[in-house]
Amino acid sequence: MTNIAEDIKIVLEFYQAMGVERIPIMTEQKSRRAEEQKIAEKEVSYNVAPISKFHLTSEQKKSALNALREEIGDCQRCKLSKGRKNIVFGEGSIDAEIMFIGEGPGEDEDIQGRPFVGKAGQLLTKLIEKMGFKREDVYIGNIVKCRPPFNRDPEEDEINACSPFIRKQAEIISPKVIVSLGRISTQTLIGLKIPIGKLRGKFYQFEDIPLMPTFHPSYLLRNPKDKWLVWEDAQKVLERLGK
Ligand code: URA
């Protein structure tokens, strides 16, 4: 055996003796991607002032959200602005205990300028009510605020241009739990490119807010047999809220 192979064997035996069963290996490609993502995040710089970590009063939250909406203005930061009818800022209680974050507006949302008002929205509203809330009690937003053409997934440059705003909304509202709906929302907020089927059902952290990923309501419209999984995730959220 060569010296290197012997060294590796000794190290692996050591880990095995310590009870370690798997050693994650970061391939060169993966580590390059992680590096690129970090750089892209740093490059996005916005004027929005950092929010104090201290508790904001409802009045302060309201004016911070208004200031944020003004900052967005008649946004032309990405190509989605070309085809939109309305910017869908987000809506709900500024004192919400739960914030639901989806991917981006569809046709109905684009027309009405409100999040989750189409078929997927009706299903989300049912879930919210089944959890014991009214729709007005929670806050609902999206990763991108303008409709992607033909409801395609938002692209990376669009997500990078827009997601600082929903992050800021979450910081301002400071809910007790965030529920991220679907792959795009979850991967954007927690920064892990892992399939939603693997991520859902466990708590992650967004800033210092617990985040529960679950399936997107549009997925449930296509796969109603998986509704029980979303209900399981919702129950974990309720437990976390002490309900
Ligand atoms: N899908 C989303 O992700 N968001 C909406 O607002 C509507 C549908």
Side-chain angles (χ1 to χ4, degrees), residues 142-162:
N142 280 305
I143 294 294
V144 298
K145 299 193 186 309
C146 296
R147 182 191 181 198
F150 309 107
N151 298 342
R152 66 151 167 78
D153 288 350
E155 290 169 359
E156 198 148 325
D157 57 320
E158 297 156 358
I159 292 173
N160 286 339
C162 203

Side-chain angles (χ1 to χ4, degrees), residues 88 101-107 109-110 114-121 124 140-144 181 185 216-218:
V88 180
I101 304 182
E103 180 178 311
E107 188 179 14
E109 291 76 19
D110 183 42
R114 298 179 55 210
F116 282 99
V117 288
K119 282 216 175 78
L124 176 63
I140 307 175
N142 280 305
I143 294 294
V144 298
L181 302 166
S185 167
H216 192 284
S218 302

Side-chain angles (χ1 to χ4, degrees), residues 71-135:
E71 166 97 25
I72 293 170
D74 180 28
C75 186
Q76 309 287 329
R77 290 171 180 83
C78 84
K79 56 189 181 299
L80 294 181
S81 60
K82 306 279 181 279
R84 69 155 184 253
K85 292 193 171 65
N86 283 296
I87 292 176
V88 180
F89 180 68
E91 67 180 24
S93 166
I94 44 175
D95 298 314
E97 288 185 287
I98 311 183
M99 183 164 176
F100 290 87
I101 304 182
E103 180 178 311
E107 188 179 14
D108 295 304
E109 291 76 19
D110 183 42
I111 292 168
Q112 295 187 42
R114 298 179 55 210
F116 282 99
V117 288
K119 282 216 175 78
Q122 284 162 20
L123 192 54
L124 176 63
T125 305
K126 269 196 199 158
L127 174 70
I128 292 167
E129 288 170 355
K130 196 166 172 200
M131 290 173 79
F133 294 91
K134 292 199 212 94
R135 192 179 147 109

Side-chain angles (χ1 to χ4, degrees):
M1 212 183 291
T2 65
N3 280 349
I4 292 177
E6 236 167 276
D7 287 349
I8 292 173
K9 186 166 173 275
I10 290 166
V11 171
L12 290 178
E13 279 169 357
F14 169 74
Y15 278 123
Q16 198 176 26
M18 299 295 287
V20 174
E21 287 174 356
R22 286 158 176 242
I23 299 182
I25 295 172
M26 203 184 228
T27 63
E28 211 181 290
Q29 198 191 9
K30 268 194 201 157
S31 74
R32 197 170 351 105
R33 228 183 288 139
E35 212 37 55
E36 279 167 5
Q37 200 163 333
K38 263 193 229 147
I39 292 166
E41 275 164 17
K42 273 200 204 121
E43 279 172 357
V44 182
S45 101
Y46 285 78
N47 291 330
V48 187
I51 303 296
S52 153
K53 288 280 165 203
F54 297 108
H55 182 70
L56 298 179
T57 64
S58 301
E59 270 317 301
Q60 287 168 327
K61 286 184 184 184
K62 207 165 152 189
S63 55
L65 280 181
N66 287 342
L68 189 65
R69 180 63 192 87
E70 260 179 47
E71 166 97 25
I72 293 170
D74 180 28
C75 186
Q76 309 287 329
R77 290 171 180 83
C78 84
K79 56 189 181 299
L80 294 181
S81 60
K82 306 279 181 279
R84 69 155 184 253
K85 292 193 171 65
N86 283 296
I87 292 176
V88 180
F89 180 68
E91 67 180 24
S93 166
I94 44 175
D95 298 314
E97 288 185 287
I98 311 183
M99 183 164 176
F100 290 87
I101 304 182
E103 180 178 311
E107 188 179 14
D108 295 304
E109 291 76 19
D110 183 42
I111 292 168
Q112 295 187 42
R114 298 179 55 210
F116 282 99
V117 288
K119 282 216 175 78
Q122 284 162 20
L123 192 54
L124 176 63
T125 305
K126 269 196 199 158
L127 174 70
I128 292 167
E129 288 170 355
K130 196 166 172 200
M131 290 173 79
F133 294 91
K134 292 199 212 94
R135 192 179 147 109
E136 316 83 82
D137 296 334
V138 304
Y139 194 90
I140 307 175
N142 280 305
I143 294 294
V144 298
K145 299 193 186 309
C146 296
R147 182 191 181 198
F150 309 107
N151 298 342
R152 66 151 167 78
D153 288 350
E155 290 169 359
E156 198 148 325
D157 57 320
E158 297 156 358
I159 292 173
N160 286 339
C162 203
S163 61
F165 297 114
I166 192 69
R167 290 171 187 276
K168 196 57 71 179
Q169 280 164 285
E171 251 185 80
I172 293 169
I173 291 167
S174 191
K176 291 191 181 143
V177 177
I178 293 174
V179 177
S180 56
L181 302 166
R183 175 179 66 88
I184 300 269
S185 167
T186 304
Q187 291 185 348
T188 302
L189 294 171
I190 66 177
L192 294 174
K193 295 253 183 255
I194 296 173
I196 184 66
K198 292 229 166 81
L199 290 168
R200 61 147 287 276
K202 285 168 277 194
F203 277 105
Y204 294 82
Q205 223 35 46
F206 169 78
E207 309 281 330
D208 48 5
I209 305 168
L211 178 147
M212 170 60 74
T214 197
F215 288 127
H216 192 284
S218 302
Y219 168 84
L220 293 183
L221 289 173
R222 298 189 302 271
N223 300 277
K225 63 168 183 12
D226 282 346
K227 280 185 186 168
W228 70 277
L229 290 170
V230 170
W231 182 236
E232 267 198 359
D233 303 343
Q235 281 173 300
K236 288 181 192 160
V237 169
L238 291 173
E239 210 174 290
R240 188 86 180 212
L241 293 173
K243 309 254 177 202

